[in-house]
Amino acid sequence: MAKGPEKNTKNKALHTKLLNRKKTKLQEEKKAQALRLRALVAKMNEKKNNNETDNI
């Protein structure tokens, strides 16, 4: 039996590279968003604690 045409591994490698870039970008954005959220929560908690001490 004859084998089919050779596989185009160049396109497959480029596709994998692009998908890896996309995954990495999404992970970095997710981490950055989490850091911004933590900073915001910490700021709001600090503000809340300052307001409570001022009221007492």
Side-chain angles (χ1 to χ4, degrees):
M1 283 180 70
K3 292 186 178 181
E6 293 182 15
K7 292 187 178 181
N8 189 349
T9 56
K10 183 179 179 184
N11 281 346
K12 188 174 182 181
L14 288 175
H15 184 68
T16 302
K17 184 178 178 182
L18 289 174
L19 286 180
N20 287 339
R21 278 191 202 166
K22 184 178 179 182
K23 286 180 190 177
T24 304
K25 182 179 177 184
L26 290 175
Q27 286 176 347
E28 288 175 359
E29 288 176 353
K30 190 173 181 181
K31 286 180 184 178
Q33 180 68 21
L35 286 175
R36 284 194 295 269
L37 186 61
R38 277 192 217 133
L40 182 63
V41 168
K43 183 178 176 183
M44 294 305 291
N45 285 338
E46 184 179 327
K47 186 175 179 181
K48 182 179 173 185
N49 288 339
N50 286 340
N51 285 342
E52 287 178 359
T53 56
D54 289 343
N55 289 338
I56 294 177

